[in-house]
Amino acid sequence: MSDLGSEELEEEGENDLGEYEGDRNEAGERHGHGRARLPNGDTYEGNYEFGRRHGQGTYIFKNGARYIGEYVKNKKHGQGTFIYPDGSRYEGEWADDQRHGHGVYYYVNNDTYTGEWFNHQRHGQGTYFYAETGSKYVGTWVNGQQEGAAELIHLNHRYQGKFLNKNPVGPGKYVFDIGCEQHGEYRLTDVERGEEEEEEETSVNIVPKWKAIKITELALWTPTLPEEKPVVEKNVLEETAGPEGAGETVEEPPLASEGFEGEIDLRSGDEDADVFQQESREYSYDGDQGNMSFEDEGRFSDLQD
């Protein structure tokens, strides 16, 4: 996952006035619409109230970054767009100079986050789209990290479960488009240790590993209406029961089966079906790209025994 692309840039305070052209009140304070060139080279054009930026305005930093939006008492507050020096941008709500509320962040690598913010961090319900893989994380965030119940959606399957510190943990399931679910759980495993001298601490890389338990069909549901029995007139019954028809049976048309409109064939499909004809996999999760990597660990058929 891409981190926030740029550091927040500090704006000039209310005492760093610089040059100003615009409206003033009776006390000589900047009040109304005006344009200021600040001592550090930044510029601001917009509304003032009692000497402070207040209302709609545009603040341009000398390095090219800029903010276009609402101010309250010299602070970004309300709706606004911040474009960072590296080209990333945030569009959404602000409170006391912080990204706070609902907003969208567009990253340099074309990733996007759409959702809730709290004190400048992703926090609450949100969706992160990974441009490189086409995957997306839909769920909860805590202090900038993926944490809580969520769904990780890929091109031909999805994972549903819980996350902690941007890693999947505990029970969950994979739902495959070919018509089945794989249930299991993620366990945190030490997979790599740095080769350091004995007196130095060794680095440990913790990676979640998927342990499959069972495979089931999708829990599909199709609404059905009560069947209406056909009305057979009495004279028709007498004709079929006559001497010429004695001993013969009248075949009734088969009734439509309830439930599924069609059968789910786990063997159908091209590439996806191969997953269930080959060995089962032990998945590991890469939170930076929303990827799943996996290693062989037995056969799916063993899970069903």
Side-chain angles (χ1 to χ4, degrees):
M1 178 194 310
S2 169
D3 294 327
L4 297 182
S6 307
E7 297 181 358
E8 181 65 28
L9 303 177
E10 294 294 332
E11 300 180 25
E12 288 288 282
E14 56 185 304
N15 296 324
D16 302 317
L17 301 178
E19 301 175 1
Y20 174 76
E21 296 178 359
D23 301 331
R24 296 179 182 272
N25 59 14
E26 295 179 355
E29 298 173 315
R30 302 177 182 185
H31 193 91
H33 186 272
R35 175 181 174 83
R37 182 175 180 82
L38 305 169
N40 67 347
D42 296 348
T43 61
Y44 171 80
E45 182 174 1
N47 294 327
Y48 284 87
E49 187 175 279
F50 302 110
R52 291 185 287 188
R53 295 182 293 275
H54 192 93
Q56 190 72 22
T58 299
Y59 193 106
I60 301 177
F61 296 83
K62 61 182 179 181
N63 64 359
R66 61 189 182 275
Y67 170 79
I68 305 103
E70 297 177 296
Y71 280 91
V72 173
K73 296 180 179 180
N74 258 11
K75 293 185 177 181
K76 296 183 287 293
H77 195 100
Q79 290 290 331
T81 298
F82 199 109
I83 303 173
Y84 296 87
D86 63 0
S88 61
R89 75 182 189 275
Y90 169 81
E91 299 177 358
E93 296 179 292
W94 297 78
D96 294 328
D97 273 342
Q98 305 288 304
R99 293 182 291 267
H100 192 96
H102 186 273
V104 182
Y105 200 110
Y106 301 88
Y107 297 88
V108 178
N109 62 355
N110 294 322
D111 289 359
T112 60
Y113 170 80
T114 305
E116 298 175 348
W117 297 78
F118 183 80
N119 288 340
H120 231 42
Q121 293 183 315
R122 298 177 290 260
H123 190 93
Q125 191 72 20
T127 298
Y128 193 102
F129 174 74
Y130 300 87
E132 183 176 348
T133 62
S135 303
K136 61 182 177 180
Y137 171 94
V138 182
T140 55
W141 301 72
V142 177
N143 297 325
Q145 298 293 336
Q146 299 170 351
E147 186 168 323
E151 185 174 38
L152 190 63
I153 304 173
H154 301 283
L155 297 179
N156 59 359
H157 67 283
R158 62 187 62 200
Y159 172 77
Q160 299 171 347
K162 290 186 177 180
F163 286 72
L164 180 63
N165 293 328
K166 79 177 184 179
N167 289 320
V169 293
K173 67 177 181 179
Y174 282 92
V175 181
F176 294 90
D177 291 350
I178 60 174
C180 66
E181 300 176 352
Q182 184 189 74
H183 299 256
E185 64 176 337
Y186 268 103
R187 302 173 182 175
L188 298 180
T189 307
D190 301 353
V191 296
E192 292 183 3
R193 293 181 181 273
E195 297 180 358
E196 303 289 344
E197 296 181 2
E198 294 182 359
E199 60 270 16
E200 296 182 0
E201 296 182 359
T202 58
S203 60
V204 179
N205 187 15
I206 305 297
V207 174
K209 292 290 186 180
W210 174 251
K211 190 71 174 180
I213 297 175
K214 64 178 180 179
I215 299 174
T216 64
E217 292 184 353
L218 288 178
L220 299 179
W221 175 79
T222 303
T224 58
L225 298 176
E227 296 181 1
E228 296 182 1
K229 296 182 179 179
V231 178
V232 182
E233 296 181 2
K234 182 178 180 181
N235 56 354
V236 175
L237 293 175
E238 292 176 353
E239 292 178 0
T240 58
E244 295 181 359
E248 296 181 1
T249 59
V250 179
E251 295 182 2
E252 297 183 358
L255 298 178
S257 60
E258 297 182 359
F260 298 116
E261 296 181 354
E263 297 181 355
I264 296 178
D265 186 0
L266 295 183
R267 296 171 299 176
S268 63
D270 297 328
E271 297 180 358
D272 291 339
D274 295 338
V275 176
F276 300 95
Q277 296 171 354
Q278 297 175 356
E279 297 179 350
S280 68
R281 309 292 185 184
E282 180 177 315
Y283 293 86
S284 62
Y285 175 61
D286 180 3
D288 291 335
Q289 294 296 336
N291 277 337
M292 296 290 176
S293 58
F294 40 85
E295 299 174 357
D296 295 339
E297 190 184 84
R299 297 183 176 276
F300 276 119
S301 58
D302 296 338
L303 300 176
Q304 300 172 337
D305 293 339

